Amino acid sequence: MPTSSMSFPIFSGSRVISHISLSTHLSSNPVFFNSFFGAKSLCCKRLSYNPKSLLKISMSMEKQPRSLDGYEQNMEGNSGVLEVIAIGSRKDSLLEFCLDSPFQSSSLRFWTVLMKDASNVQLQQRVLGKDLTPRIVEADIFMQSCAKTIILVAGAGYGSDHIAAVDILKAIRSSNGFSVVIILKPFTFEGQRRLDEVNDLVGKLQELISFCIEIDTDSLLKNELVTLDEALRTANNAVILAINAISIVISEMQRKFIDAVHDNMKELGVSEVINILGKYKNAKLGFGAGYNIRTSISQAMHDCPFIGAGVKDLDGIVICVVASSNVISNDDLQAFLRTFRQTTEYTKDIIISVVHDPKLEPNLLVTTVVILGHLEEQTLKKSGFFNRLAQRFPFVFNLLRRDPSQSNDTFKKDVKAINRTNSNEMGNKVALQGIFGGFGDDASEIEDVPNRKSSDIYSFRNYDSGSDQNEVALLDGKTDFSSYYEENSEGIPTFRRESLNHWNLGPGNELAKEWAKERAADSEATPVLDNLSIFCLPVGVRSSEELKEGVNTLNAKEFSESKSENGVKVPALPSSSRPWGTLTDASFEVMKEIYNNGSTVLKGKTGVPKKQGVLSARAASMLEAERDSPKKWSPIVEMHYRGGVYRGRCQGGLPEGKGRLVLGDGNIYDGMWRYGKRSGVGTYYSSNGDVFQGSWRDDLMHGKGWFYFHTGDRWFANFWKGKANGEGRFYSKSGDVFFGHFEDGWRHGHFLCITVDGARCIEIWNEGVLIDRQQLDVDAVL
Amino acid sequence: MPRVVVITSGKGGVGKTTTTANVGLSLARLGFFVVAIDADVGLRNLDLLLGLENRVNYTVIEIETPHRIRLKALVWLVDALKARDERSPDFILIDCPAGIDAGLITAITPAKEAVLVTTLEITSLRDADRVTGLLECDGIRDIKMIVNRVRTDMIKGEDMMSVLNVQEMLGLPLLGVIPEDSEVIRSTNRGYPLVLHKPPALAGLAFEQAAWRLVEQYSMKAVMAEEEPKNRGFFSFFGG
């Protein structure tokens, strides 16, 4: 085996890691080995470029000779480095994304084509970092040495780069190498000519390549709530995951198994994989992430729009690559395969490979699914003239959609998510915004404006403009229990597929996540006792100490981080000001900037651009001010109130109307006031990162609201005078759900618990104390 | 049945009369029978843009009428045109005066559709927003937008809002995007309409496209232009 420079592909959540991985790659440069052309001449060239690799080269040269078995020889000699050559108008941004991405592994090298003239073609390597001069290799030399190459066609407009690509592919073909083409199709609005250009190229390349993955970027825009920016990001993610998936399945180091329905799992060698890939030629890709197997598979298959029709009728084979920071045992693997087959009703073979990446978030599973072969084109049942027309002319589609008389059933698929009456609308592929944006992206996420969900927040804010509007906004999360019962003939519980829409996320989810991040960052800097958390997890459960004392305290208590559970709200806020209160204020300012920029633009309109410039922010706030119903004008004052600083409108010396109170200990309330008390819709940001968004009355939480804990759990409950009363729904971060009744802040009555795997049980509580728990049969109906 | 379209903006100087003249001419060149009405009773300009200032026989002011009937003159005129025995016009374009006073109200009364002309400045945006509200109040729901005097270099340099932004803020379908073009000034001063230029001016082409979209009742899609900053990250959908 060649040098130990081979490493597992690293999926990591931090930029630093990707930098490290890249630099190790550069310093331990594996040498291309190709017995056909002799190593010596190659090494000489290499030496002139990278003196550091001198040592490695000499080590590799002692490599044992193998039988000239053609392909295997190349594979082992190459020590697994996968070359990626990008062409096309979007190659620069795509390569930059790939290099920045934490998913990229050290066994990848990225190149672009430099053409001085027709005879002098070079390839320039793309590297991260400005001080590293990119390496330039003559195309001829490259062709001799590369055995595993991916050609990335990033949109049309590649000029004459494709000629170089074709030449390289021919060389690889003649040397029995392995080549893949990943195509990012241009969007339809770029015009038919570009689509044709790319299709022509693909046609030309078909004979030369082993394998082709097509990423249909246009399907991302089908959902009109997806902005161009998000679509591009998803497409870029798809590309990097495709590259990784390929590098995994053809690498020596990763174990691959093939699983057939009526057969045991067998291990596959690399050459067998390559044969299979070569047999099927075409593929599509889907990817997803989730905290359990089911969610991540469902996301990859259903939410990812690249895999249009299902795999049920697939005449081919499926490759799954699963990455996780937990160790995946054999049983887990079997469970994964089972779940996959159930979710997709797929009956043929699956090639599966598992990657262990400790840098991933715990319990997070990233699944990449590559579907090879021919998918039966599922014609939409009601595909009428208008639908086909709509695919041809996007703007006609707009027009037709606005005209209510033309509504087709197919248009329901693109119904705006704001349409709350269809709370169970499955067609939305909006989950793209949910998890996808969460992992793998860099710090620029912080600058991103919360997405359309903030339009729900905005409807919160217009409390005066009609309480029924708010009712609707808060009610959208109402799910009937029946949606959790699935009909599954095999009797094994699976979730009925629902898009990860706002039924369980709540309107303020994005905002709360940002706040929690802010607070987490701050609290690391200044460790502080969490003595003012209003609600502690688990909600509504009495601790045993409480029971003994028999006292139900109403005042603030010193809570330590872990143990005490208390369902009581703290009404009076202490007046001591802490020095880090200003820190909180600053971080809140950041939050509000992000938040305001987003919400002001939205005012009932959909399709939010994620990045707002200063100009449009100003314009948006101006428009918002214009459009507000004219009220008696009162100036915004800043004053001391309750030991903190209040900024907002006042009347008679007391806060009235919209305003924000920042307390010395770091808690912030932002919302409506009446006679100096919190009343109406408002958001409470606590210093530990929890966020409550809902309605208030008489300074207490009253009415419906969403509680977002800094740990990632979400709670939707009805409050009465500060305590949870009535129905409540608790969604934990990992996917467990609790539904039940609260009385006076305690859990009371029947509670339905559904774990992330689908196991259900009914609990009976009495004033915060668990009395009975019963596991439910899978077939039982409540 | 003629399509009665009022071209309005609220703010003055954004290009209503230019739009009326050029879109009207483009429609005529497409073969439609177009009547363009300058509803700015006191300060007329449409004749200058079309080069017809010496051909004006009468204006409304010169006709002896009591004042209040003058306000109805436009409605009568449009009705008369519709009721014509010989061929009635296919398009009646009404060039609206600036402001939101009686002049605007008069101009929009006979109209069923509106084209809102705006630029990418915040002042124009606010006025456009106001006018949209007024139009909707008055029963004109079919409002399309033309964004005029667009300077892409300033948009990229973040000195000007982008068309996409403005479209989203106003929430109106986009009929056309007209780039800033000095040919406009030249043609106004010479009285030689922009769209008749050979070779065609950029703005002229844009007007023609807008006219076509008006006929077909399409609207265009604004594409987000990437910001300038990094050279690496910059890509253009029309690059290659």
Side-chain angles (χ1 to χ4, degrees):
Chain A
M1 265 315 205
T3 65
S4 58
S5 56
M6 188 58 210
S7 56
F8 291 110
I10 298 177
F11 298 104
S12 72
S14 117
R15 266 191 135 149
V16 176
I17 303 295
S18 70
H19 276 280
I20 291 173
S21 69
L22 189 60
S23 56
T24 50
H25 159 232
L26 286 175
S27 61
S28 63
N29 195 4
V31 176
F32 279 134
F33 235 95
N34 192 317
S35 59
F36 285 12
F37 291 88
K40 284 235 177 73
S41 56
L42 221 52
C43 288
C44 293
K45 289 270 178 201
R46 226 17 83 83
L47 280 169
S48 60
Y49 287 112
N50 200 343
K52 276 192 229 167
S53 58
L54 187 62
L55 188 60
K56 299 289 180 192
I57 292 172
S58 53
M59 281 168 69
S60 314
M61 280 186 73
E62 334 162 351
K63 183 175 128 18
Q64 317 82 323
R66 305 250 189 229
S67 56
L68 280 174
D69 205 0
Y71 194 21
E72 261 103 305
Q73 181 66 11
N74 292 347
M75 292 295 300
E76 288 170 9
N78 270 320
S79 56
V81 173
L82 196 52
E83 311 284 352
V84 181
I85 304 176
I87 62 176
S89 61
R90 277 187 255 151
K91 63 175 190 274
D92 291 318
S93 64
L94 188 56
L95 286 183
E96 182 152 313
F97 180 90
C98 290
L99 287 167
D100 271 351
S101 157
F103 285 116
Q104 83 106 354
S105 91
S106 60
S107 60
L108 296 174
R109 279 215 283 250
F110 295 95
W111 304 83
T112 51
V113 178
L114 285 181
M115 283 192 60
K116 298 271 169 64
D117 49 61
S119 54
N120 184 8
V121 182
Q122 294 169 332
L123 290 171
Q124 182 176 46
Q125 183 178 8
R126 260 310 157 77
V127 293
L128 208 56
K130 292 203 186 359
D131 42 348
L132 297 162
T133 41
R135 210 165 65 181
I136 299 189
V137 175
E138 295 291 326
D140 306 320
I141 310 293
F142 186 89
M143 282 192 258
Q144 294 166 13
S145 59
C146 59
K148 288 189 281 183
T149 313
I150 296 182
I151 307 272
L152 255 185
V153 179
Y158 29 76
S160 39
D161 287 353
H162 70 281
I163 304 176
V166 169
D167 288 336
I168 292 177
L169 285 174
K170 283 191 186 142
I172 300 178
R173 202 357 83 100
S174 60
S175 64
N176 272 333
F178 179 72
S179 57
V180 178
V181 163
I182 301 183
I183 304 170
L184 266 185
K185 294 191 107 148
F187 294 101
T188 28
F189 65 75
E190 294 187 55
Q192 189 60 31
R193 189 174 72 79
R194 293 193 143 216
L195 277 171
D196 293 337
E197 205 181 323
V198 171
N199 285 334
D200 283 340
L201 179 66
V202 172
K204 271 191 258 181
L205 295 177
Q206 280 291 343
E207 285 80 49
L208 300 172
I209 51 175
S210 321
F211 188 52
C212 164
I213 296 186
E214 197 176 285
I215 300 183
D216 183 15
T217 42
D218 210 38
S219 56
L220 286 168
L221 293 180
K222 289 232 166 70
N223 181 356
E224 64 162 29
L225 288 177
V226 176
T227 69
L228 199 56
D229 205 31
E230 287 167 340
L232 288 172
R233 196 171 320 138
T234 316
N236 291 346
N237 269 321
V239 166
I240 190 72
L241 282 173
I243 296 177
N244 267 312
I246 292 177
S247 86
I248 288 169
V249 295
I250 59 174
S251 101
E252 295 286 325
M253 307 294 281
Q254 296 287 344
R255 297 177 77 193
K256 299 153 276 291
F257 301 92
I258 184 162
D259 176 69
V261 174
H262 304 296
D263 227 350
N264 286 334
M265 217 159 58
K266 291 186 292 208
E267 181 154 356
L268 272 191
V270 172
S271 49
E272 294 166 292
V273 174
I274 295 186
N275 283 338
I276 295 177
L277 291 180
K279 190 162 87 170
Y280 287 106
K281 285 267 177 161
N282 282 313
K284 293 198 178 185
L285 177 102
F287 62 99
Y291 288 103
N292 69 336
I293 299 173
R294 201 158 292 108
T295 341
S296 82
I297 294 177
S298 312
Q299 273 205 10
M301 299 306 298
H302 300 292
D303 291 331
C304 209
F306 303 127
I307 301 181
V311 285
K312 191 167 152 189
D313 304 316
L314 178 70
D315 176 28
I317 198 168
V318 168
I319 303 182
C320 291
V321 175
V322 186
S324 163
S325 60
N326 307 337
V327 176
I328 297 193
S329 68
N330 221 16
D331 292 335
D332 291 337
L333 201 61
Q334 294 291 346
F336 181 92
L337 290 164
R338 260 203 317 274
T339 322
F340 187 84
R341 289 192 190 279
Q342 274 161 22
T343 334
T344 57
E345 297 179 51
Y346 176 68
T347 48
K348 301 212 174 66
D349 296 347
I350 301 178
I351 299 180
I352 182 158
S353 181
V354 170
V355 178
H356 172 64
D357 174 28
K359 297 295 177 299
L360 267 186
E361 218 181 299
N363 290 323
L364 187 69
L365 281 165
V366 178
T367 306
T368 314
V369 179
V370 181
I371 300 189
L372 293 84
H374 188 63
L375 280 173
E376 290 298 315
E377 287 298 319
Q378 274 189 3
T379 49
L380 297 163
K381 290 191 194 101
K382 283 155 191 158
S383 155
F385 164 69
F386 288 115
N387 205 32
R388 278 178 271 129
L389 188 66
Q391 275 142 24
R392 278 258 128 189
F393 298 104
F395 34 81
V396 175
F397 186 57
N398 273 336
L399 162 75
L400 291 177
R401 215 177 330 104
R402 284 186 214 296
D403 189 349
S405 64
Q406 316 279 19
S407 59
N408 249 331
D409 280 3
T410 50
F411 284 95
K412 276 207 194 119
K413 272 179 70 174
D414 295 318
V415 151
K416 301 180 174 110
I418 305 287
N419 186 352
R420 300 184 201 293
T421 52
N422 295 339
S423 61
N424 282 337
E425 195 71 51
M426 308 304 169
N428 282 325
K429 305 220 162 97
V430 183
L432 286 170
Q433 301 170 30
I435 300 270
F436 289 13
F439 68 88
D441 271 336
D442 51 14
S444 67
E445 266 274 299
I446 301 284
E447 268 90 62
D448 282 350
V449 163
N451 53 18
R452 66 175 157 80
K453 293 206 175 77
S454 30
S455 70
D456 304 354
I457 302 173
Y458 204 77
S459 65
F460 266 56
R461 301 199 128 222
N462 281 336
Y463 191 61
D464 350 21
S465 64
S467 55
D468 55 322
Q469 200 181 29
N470 283 332
E471 286 301 295
V472 175
L474 289 163
L475 275 173
D476 72 320
K478 199 146 198 130
T479 335
D480 40 302
F481 284 19
S482 63
S483 66
Y484 280 93
Y485 306 150
E486 60 325 311
E487 313 79 34
N488 191 319
S489 52
E490 294 188 65
I492 303 170
T494 53
F495 276 121
R496 181 193 303 185
R497 175 66 209 141
E498 285 183 350
S499 52
L500 270 172
N501 214 332
H502 36 235
W503 61 262
N504 77 341
L505 286 178
N509 196 39
E510 291 293 319
L511 195 62
K513 279 204 272 215
E514 298 290 339
W515 177 249
K517 261 192 258 197
E518 287 282 332
R519 293 313 303 145
D522 268 357
S523 57
E524 269 163 44
T526 53
V528 73
L529 268 181
D530 181 20
N531 65 339
L532 283 171
S533 56
I534 294 182
F535 287 95
C536 266
L537 291 166
V539 282
V541 176
R542 244 189 248 265
S543 69
S544 45
E545 296 94 57
E546 286 275 330
L547 283 175
K548 282 188 210 142
E549 292 167 31
V551 166
N552 202 355
T553 57
L554 281 173
N555 301 320
K557 251 164 79 158
E558 290 279 335
F559 293 141
S560 58
E561 280 284 316
S562 46
K563 284 299 172 183
S564 29
E565 292 131 21
N566 194 319
V568 175
K569 180 198 176 296
V570 177
L573 305 157
S575 54
S576 62
S577 57
R578 304 266 172 117
W580 49 271
T582 46
L583 273 178
T584 318
D585 201 0
S587 61
F588 188 75
E589 281 301 327
V590 171
M591 279 297 304
K592 293 315 280 177
E593 265 298 297
I594 301 170
Y595 175 50
N596 279 331
N597 289 346
S599 67
T600 48
V601 179
L602 291 175
K603 202 56 197 229
K605 307 212 196 292
T606 56
V608 189
K610 280 231 145 179
K611 289 205 158 74
Q612 287 281 340
V614 170
L615 295 178
S616 19
R618 180 180 175 223
S621 64
M622 178 273 291
L623 283 179
E624 179 213 345
E626 282 288 308
R627 288 169 185 173
D628 266 343
S629 52
K631 293 181 69 175
K632 350 186 257 280
W633 177 79
S634 62
I636 297 187
V637 283
E638 200 160 319
M639 63 180 196
H640 282 278
Y641 189 68
R642 292 192 193 167
V645 175
Y646 172 80
R647 189 187 158 84
R649 307 202 188 263
C650 288
Q651 194 169 32
L654 293 173
E656 171 104 15
K658 201 148 66 153
R660 175 181 28 118
L661 177 66
V662 180
L663 289 156
D665 47 32
N667 300 319
I668 300 175
Y669 171 81
D670 183 22
M672 305 300 292
W673 295 78
R674 226 163 132 63
Y675 304 130
K677 302 202 188 154
R678 294 177 273 226
S679 229
V681 169
T683 312
Y684 187 82
Y685 303 85
S686 105
S687 51
N688 70 344
D690 297 338
V691 176
F692 172 77
Q693 196 176 55
S695 60
W696 299 72
R697 199 172 83 172
D698 266 351
D699 234 26
L700 301 168
M701 298 179 190
H702 192 86
K704 299 189 210 286
W706 278 91
F707 214 104
Y708 303 92
F709 293 93
H710 63 275
T711 50
D713 309 312
R714 306 171 289 278
W715 187 33
F716 173 80
N718 282 290
F719 289 86
W720 184 264
K721 300 218 167 113
K723 302 195 224 165
N725 249 288
E727 193 215 310
R729 304 197 288 276
F730 185 85
Y731 307 95
S732 83
K733 178 178 182 179
S734 50
D736 305 325
V737 191
F738 301 91
F739 295 90
H741 227 72
F742 284 79
E743 282 277 327
D744 202 35
W746 305 115
R747 298 192 188 186
H748 193 78
H750 286 264
F751 250 78
L752 174 68
C753 316
I754 305 179
T755 66
V756 75
D757 313 309
R760 288 175 297 150
C761 65
I762 297 254
E763 296 175 352
I764 303 183
W765 293 73
N766 187 15
E767 291 193 2
V769 181
L770 178 62
I771 305 229
D772 187 27
R773 169 182 286 156
Q774 232 179 4
Q775 199 79 21
L776 272 190
D777 272 341
V778 297
D779 299 322
V781 174
L782 192 62
Chain B
M1 273 300 287
R3 281 176 63 179
V4 187
V5 184
V6 62
I7 293 153
T8 179
S9 75
K11 184 145 191 330
V14 298
K16 294 182 290 300
T17 313
T18 313
T19 305
T20 316
N22 288 298
V23 168
L25 266 175
S26 308
L27 289 173
R29 280 220 289 215
L30 289 172
F32 294 100
F33 178 12
V34 181
V35 174
I37 304 178
D38 192 346
D40 194 344
V41 176
L43 304 174
R44 58 194 168 92
N45 279 317
L46 189 57
D47 55 337
L48 286 171
L49 245 71
L50 293 169
L52 299 174
E53 70 272 13
N54 292 324
R55 311 285 195 90
V56 173
N57 292 327
Y58 298 107
T59 67
V60 167
I61 300 180
E62 287 144 18
I63 299 173
E64 279 288 321
T65 53
H67 183 77
R68 50 191 169 78
I69 300 189
R70 216 183 272 167
L71 298 173
K72 296 227 181 137
L74 187 59
V75 182
W76 286 344
L77 175 60
V78 173
D79 287 340
L81 283 171
K82 283 188 195 169
R84 245 176 142 227
D85 289 332
E86 317 95 49
R87 191 184 166 191
S88 73
D90 298 312
F91 279 93
I92 301 179
L93 303 182
I94 303 176
D95 180 22
C96 196
I100 47 168
D101 53 4
L104 175 83
I105 308 295
T106 317
I108 65 182
T109 313
K112 300 283 179 305
E113 296 172 46
V115 170
L116 188 71
V117 182
T118 177
T119 61
L120 294 172
E121 285 165 12
I122 195 168
T123 44
S124 162
L125 189 64
R126 177 191 264 166
D127 296 354
D129 197 51
R130 264 303 182 77
V131 167
T132 312
L134 282 175
L135 287 170
E136 282 169 356
C137 272
D138 268 18
I140 299 183
R141 296 275 140 75
D142 186 356
I143 310 172
K144 297 200 191 62
M145 190 167 75
I146 283 189
V147 180
N148 202 2
R149 309 193 67 178
V150 170
R151 291 192 51 180
T152 350
D153 53 339
M154 287 186 77
I155 297 180
K156 289 209 193 106
E158 300 225 305
D159 289 321
M160 199 184 246
M161 285 182 280
S162 74
V163 179
L164 191 66
N165 277 340
V166 164
Q167 192 196 2
E168 276 161 350
M169 285 192 261
L170 289 177
L172 299 171
L174 195 57
L175 197 64
V177 175
I178 323 288
E180 171 87 64
D181 195 348
S182 44
E183 281 300 320
V184 173
I185 303 178
R186 278 193 213 112
S187 24
T188 310
N189 286 329
R190 300 218 157 103
Y192 185 69
L194 187 67
V195 292
L196 297 180
H197 275 239
K198 278 210 171 39
L202 275 178
L205 285 173
F207 275 122
E208 283 184 20
Q209 286 180 16
W212 177 71
R213 284 188 203 104
L214 183 65
V215 173
E216 300 288 332
Q217 291 183 309
Y218 282 167
S219 61
M220 67 179 268
K221 224 175 164 133
V223 182
M224 186 171 85
E226 272 285 318
E227 298 92 359
E228 188 74 72
K230 326 166 265 228
N231 282 331
R232 281 279 182 121
F234 180 72
F235 64 88
S236 163
F237 280 107
F238 306 100

